[in-house]
Amino acid sequence: MNRNHRIWSFLKAKGFYIALALCIAGAGAAAWLTAQNTLLGIRKQQEPPVITRQEEKNQWNYNDITEQQTRGSADTPKPSQPSPPSTVPDASSTTPPAVSGVSQPPADSVTSAPLCYCLPVPGSQLLAGYSNGELVKNHTLNVWRTHDGVDLAAEKGTAVTAAEAGTVAEVVMDPLWGGTVAIDHRDGTRTVYCGVAPEKALKAGDRVTAGQVLGSVDTVTGEVAMESHLHFAAKKDGKYIDPMMLPGLK
């Protein structure tokens, strides 16, 4: 009984201070908890947000879609610019040009016209014809050989003219045929004139017209046993043909 009385007397005397101490302690604890919560909130705000697998998956899908859209727009061809309006007048609204009194042939009609050959020594007599691959006796050389052209009788010094217009392919002195002139024509034919004293100015590459003088009759070295003549030959695609079968000579 005395012990309990002493405890009660102590609490009664010191109760105010004990209550004050408990209040201070409680206030301190409350302040500490508040400070901890505040610090924790600040840390959470500073930490990067945690991306879950679903969010990460969604983010990559978004990037893939963005990349595909960018690539797709780059691969899309640039649309063509609209064509400017045509400035060509309507055919129905134009007036045909006046036709002159003299009609001119098209520019290409001259070059496309068929060729017409003529004898290089007009009016001459045929001494020997084209053998067409058969062997004939050459009395000068005393051998049998083909005769790949025709021999046209003509006195020495007679003018030799181009059978048709063309380009001079060569002007040479052949040991068998004497002075030789060759002309290429636009139809692929080459005419060859042997036993000619060619014009001094004539050279390969010259353009000649039909009937232009190429030189004069001289000597066919390999046929001197015959009377004076011009040896006239023709080739087509590199092969000899009968010159008398050329257009205009048939």
Side-chain angles (χ1 to χ4, degrees):
M1 189 67 182
N2 292 331
R3 184 179 179 183
N4 292 335
H5 181 73
R6 285 195 301 270
I7 293 173
W8 172 252
S9 298
F10 174 78
L11 292 174
K12 187 177 180 180
K14 304 295 185 181
F16 172 76
Y17 296 102
I18 293 173
L20 180 61
L22 290 175
C23 289
I24 293 173
W32 181 83
L33 288 176
T34 301
Q36 290 296 323
N37 290 335
T38 302
L39 292 175
L40 182 59
I42 294 174
R43 288 175 183 175
K44 287 184 178 182
Q45 291 178 359
Q46 294 177 349
E47 290 180 358
V50 179
I51 300 176
T52 63
R53 287 189 173 272
Q54 185 63 33
E55 292 174 344
E56 183 179 1
K57 182 178 180 181
N58 293 338
Q59 182 180 5
W60 280 111
N61 289 341
Y62 175 79
N63 291 336
D64 292 344
I65 294 172
T66 304
E67 182 180 357
Q68 291 175 5
Q69 291 176 345
T70 304
R71 185 172 61 251
S73 61
D75 295 341
T76 303
K78 182 179 180 180
S80 59
Q81 297 293 334
S83 302
S86 174
T87 58
V88 179
D90 188 358
S92 61
S93 63
T94 58
T95 303
V99 179
S100 61
V102 180
S103 61
Q104 298 294 331
D108 59 349
S109 64
V110 176
T111 58
S112 61
L115 297 181
C116 183
Y117 293 85
C118 60
L119 289 177
V121 279
S124 63
Q125 180 185 357
L126 182 64
L127 298 178
Y130 176 72
S131 71
N132 196 25
E134 294 184 9
L135 298 178
V136 296
K137 183 66 176 288
N138 183 305
H139 296 283
T140 301
L141 303 176
N142 197 26
V143 295
W144 289 84
R145 56 181 296 159
T146 60
H147 193 247
D148 298 324
V150 296
D151 293 333
L152 303 174
E155 294 296 330
K156 190 173 184 179
T158 302
V160 177
T161 59
E164 245 293 7
T167 303
V168 177
E170 60 181 10
V171 180
V172 298
M173 181 60 68
D174 189 270
L176 181 62
W177 299 108
T180 301
V181 178
I183 299 177
D184 288 335
H185 307 279
R186 60 180 172 83
D187 63 353
T189 302
R190 170 176 287 193
T191 52
V192 185
Y193 312 78
C194 303
V196 177
E199 293 288 302
K200 292 182 179 180
L202 191 68
K203 63 184 181 302
D206 287 349
R207 291 282 301 170
V208 295
T209 59
Q212 180 176 330
V213 176
L214 305 176
S216 59
V217 174
D218 193 16
T219 302
V220 181
T221 308
E223 296 177 346
V224 291
M226 298 176 61
E227 62 182 273
S228 181
H229 67 278
L230 172 75
H231 181 88
F232 178 51
K235 286 183 175 182
K236 187 79 169 182
D237 299 326
K239 297 181 180 180
Y240 282 105
I241 61 173
D242 186 355
M244 300 305 291
M245 298 301 292
L246 292 173
L249 296 179
K250 296 180 182 180

